[in-house]
Amino acid sequence: MDLSIIEKDQYNIGHICTRLQCKRGLADKRAMRFVDAHGNRTDYSFADLERESSCFANILSGFGFVPQDIFFTFLPRMPEQFFAFLGALKAQVICGTMFSNFGEDALLDRLLDSGAKGIITKKSLLRKITRIKHQLPALQYVIVVDGDDLDGEGVYSLKTLVAKTSAEFDAPLTPSGAPSVLHYTSGSTGKPKGVLHQHGSILSQSMTSTAVLGLKPNDIFWCTADQGWVTGTSYGIIGPWCLGVSQVQYGGGYDARAWMRLLEEEQVNVWYSAPTALRMLMREDHEIFENADLSGLRHIFSVGEPLNPEVIHWGRSLLQHDIHDTWFQTETGAIMISNRPGVEIRPGSMGIPVPGMEAAIVGDGGELLPDGELGNLCLKPGWPSMFITYLNNDEIYRQKFRNGWYQTGDTAKRDRDGYFWFMGRSDDVINTAGHLISPFEVESALLEIEEVAESGVIGAPDELLFEKVIAFVNLHKRFTPNTDLELKIRLRVSNKLSSTATPQEIIFCNSIPKNKSGKIMRRVLKARYMGEDPGDTSTMEI
Ligand code: AMP
């Protein structure tokens, strides 16, 4: 582990990414260039990060936040996202991040389960919070980034707070095991679970940022992931900044020309993106890539979903670069398996474990399986960025460990040269464009619609998104399917959960297959959708 980033047992992520970099002589170095959706650029030095995050730490302390209180960011990509995140961590407040496209139910579940005391958001998103605030007694502080005129009960304008708050803050000495970042992840049953990390995770993030992403001190790094997702915090904030590396953040969405311009004009050296985005680029006019000068680019990486070999071939022919796959998950906090530079790429495989990590394929009985056999992808626990628990759910956390292995929930194979090949999930969780969607959550949102009697939700293969969300819906007898109803269902899921969770296809049917204990048999629905044999249906309710 790279202990050089630590100073006198001070593991505080907020401190290391800001003050420590200044002390190292990087105060005036550009830490971030923020390029907004219109192409306007604003630069922030490490001294700016230090000041802004310290001010935020003081704001939270002034409100009475104490270590291990929970604070959330609910923002689109914008500079305040970074200041708030680092500031909360400086004050040893646990910081969670949420996607700005989350709907009310998604917000409520997370804020309620965590007992969050505060949240920072934007005026345009505030309504989603005010609608649910009466259900959240613990939520006392709502800070609004762009709401000068908004001071009201429990609602504070960031500008007003900043104007009266000091920008000097000394982070308390923070041990490696102190809780740090909180990301909620979806399972196939129950509500989303809060994956809690520790400040010491920074050791894994710094190690993998050099050993896998190959970041060098003078690099410009661009990670396209939203901060609502673990990649957006582990590598969109912590990894580069703990090493004093400068990064670009883009406030716009997917736009092939803007992205290519950004790579070219900002002279990005290392680019970290995702298969769905790369597949979208593959569909664009070749001329966009043929005319792009990517001479500054050294490496391209991908994460979140299987990287199909076609993307690698496309990268080689149109971008003249290899695309390196990386595998990790919210729980692991940092890259665990990768086709990293310097290691021969096997297109279609995720690669080999990162230095210091041990991975294995384990059978359902806990036995290690020989090479070539399909089984559960497991990791030997003990790495610094391993999550420390599921918030309020220690029992489920404990169940993830068996016979000395952490079970990732993915199924995979290992070939005889030690390369790992992703095969799927061992549960029903749907991976659409890199976002994990819980079929249970979508089914629950559907059941709240008055016309819906029962529903079953599955993931089906999709060329672009890897998987798409399919909803089977059985209506109450007095309703008949129609396009208005389809639209209503889609809107309802989007408003309640998120646009990502919204079903791509709605299939109306007369019954949902269930087993004798009433559990939805998604396997049977999937077989029905794929036109395949459903296999053993002996436990099915007739
Ligand atoms: P999340 O916790 O939301 O980051 O999702 C983690 C899950 O995404 C993993 O357990 C895998 O199922 C999937 N995943 C992440 N990276 C890859 C990859 N390189 N190849 C295949 N699946 C991946």
Side-chain angles (χ1 to χ4, degrees), residues 296-455:
L297 194 59
R298 206 167 61 245
H299 301 305
I300 308 176
F301 294 89
S302 161
V303 66
E305 321 145 48
L307 183 66
N308 41 319
E310 295 78 2
V311 184
I312 297 184
H313 302 317
W314 167 84
R316 283 178 178 159
S317 86
L318 270 124
L319 305 178
Q320 279 80 53
H321 277 283
D322 277 331
I323 301 175
H324 301 270
D325 195 9
T326 63
W327 178 96
F328 76 112
Q329 54 181 195
T330 307
E331 286 86 342
T332 72
I335 302 165
M336 298 280 110
I337 294 176
S338 170
N339 264 313
R340 61 182 188 268
V343 170
E344 180 213 341
I345 290 184
R346 301 235 163 131
S349 148
M350 311 188 284
I352 62 173
V354 304
M357 281 307 304
E358 199 184 333
I361 304 298
V362 178
D364 289 339
E367 72 288 7
L368 287 181
L369 293 180
D371 291 337
E373 273 193 37
L374 179 65
N376 303 302
L377 175 63
C378 290
L379 299 164
K380 189 57 92 187
W383 65 94
S385 65
M386 186 168 95
F387 70 133
I388 49 179
T389 194
Y390 289 119
L391 202 68
N392 308 321
N393 231 326
D394 270 340
E395 185 47 37
I396 297 191
Y397 173 75
R398 273 194 294 276
Q399 287 166 11
K400 295 288 270 188
F401 300 88
R402 259 177 71 192
N403 298 338
W405 290 98
Y406 162 68
Q407 304 175 99
T408 67
D410 284 1
T411 53
K413 289 180 189 176
R414 181 175 58 191
D415 67 20
R416 74 160 87 95
D417 300 316
Y419 281 75
F420 285 82
W421 299 73
F422 176 84
M423 294 293 151
R425 298 267 318 175
S426 51
D427 53 22
D428 294 327
V429 170
I430 304 162
N431 184 334
T432 187
H435 297 271
L436 296 194
I437 304 293
S438 154
F440 167 82
E441 278 181 79
V442 182
E443 285 157 4
S444 307
L446 290 169
L447 284 182
E448 287 179 29
I449 303 173
E450 63 159 330
E451 291 89 342
V452 176
E454 46 176 11
S455 72

Side-chain angles (χ1 to χ4, degrees), residues 63-326:
F63 279 151
F65 276 75
V66 295
Q68 305 201 19
D69 275 347
I70 296 181
F71 184 81
F72 269 93
T73 67
F74 178 48
L75 289 169
R77 208 155 325 157
M78 58 195 300
E80 288 79 1
Q81 166 86 59
F82 302 88
F83 309 150
F85 179 84
L86 294 172
L89 293 180
K90 269 188 175 173
Q92 292 188 346
V93 167
I94 295 170
C95 190
T97 60
M98 291 189 290
F99 288 107
S100 57
N101 78 354
F102 273 168
E104 283 165 34
D105 283 11
L107 287 173
L108 184 63
D109 285 344
R110 288 157 178 81
L111 293 170
L112 199 59
D113 179 66
S114 62
K117 191 166 165 180
I119 187 167
I120 184 166
T121 191
K122 213 175 163 230
K123 213 167 164 179
S124 56
L125 300 173
L126 184 59
R127 213 152 45 108
K128 292 192 193 178
I129 298 168
T130 42
R131 280 213 210 101
I132 54 172
K133 200 161 171 278
H134 65 282
Q135 297 176 69
L136 296 164
L139 190 72
Q140 298 168 51
Y141 302 97
V142 179
I143 302 175
V144 185
V145 168
D146 51 351
D148 317 8
D149 50 339
L150 275 176
D151 277 337
E153 207 192 328
V155 180
Y156 301 84
S157 142
L158 180 64
K159 267 194 204 141
T160 314
L161 292 170
V162 167
K164 56 183 187 198
T165 306
S166 152
E168 292 282 323
F169 184 87
D170 291 327
L173 202 62
T174 306
S176 157
S180 58
V181 179
L182 180 65
H183 285 291
Y184 272 78
T185 188
S186 295
S188 45
T189 55
K191 301 272 191 196
K193 301 184 292 294
V195 178
L196 187 60
H197 284 282
Q198 57 181 359
H199 279 267
S201 68
I202 198 165
L203 294 179
S204 298
Q205 287 132 6
S206 82
M207 187 278 278
T208 47
S209 292
T210 46
V212 178
L213 303 180
L215 290 187
K216 296 197 164 85
N218 293 325
D219 276 346
I220 306 286
F221 177 56
W222 181 29
C223 173
T224 61
D226 189 282
Q227 274 61 48
W229 181 31
V230 66
T231 305
T233 54
S234 290
Y235 298 102
I237 302 181
I238 307 172
W241 285 344
C242 74
L243 299 169
V245 169
S246 182
Q247 59 162 324
V248 181
Q249 284 287 337
Y250 179 54
Y254 170 81
D255 174 337
R257 284 179 199 279
W259 280 29
M260 284 302 123
R261 232 183 358 258
L262 197 131
L263 285 171
E264 193 175 320
E265 290 175 4
E266 300 306 331
Q267 288 288 298
V268 172
N269 305 109
V270 180
W271 179 31
Y272 200 6
S273 197
T276 294
L278 295 166
R279 284 191 291 265
M280 283 160 82
L281 288 173
M282 263 174 82
R283 296 180 169 193
E284 304 279 353
D285 239 342
H286 283 189
E287 150 269 328
I288 299 181
F289 312 104
E290 283 155 3
N291 297 333
D293 170 13
L294 301 183
S295 51
L297 194 59
R298 206 167 61 245
H299 301 305
I300 308 176
F301 294 89
S302 161
V303 66
E305 321 145 48
L307 183 66
N308 41 319
E310 295 78 2
V311 184
I312 297 184
H313 302 317
W314 167 84
R316 283 178 178 159
S317 86
L318 270 124
L319 305 178
Q320 279 80 53
H321 277 283
D322 277 331
I323 301 175
H324 301 270
D325 195 9
T326 63

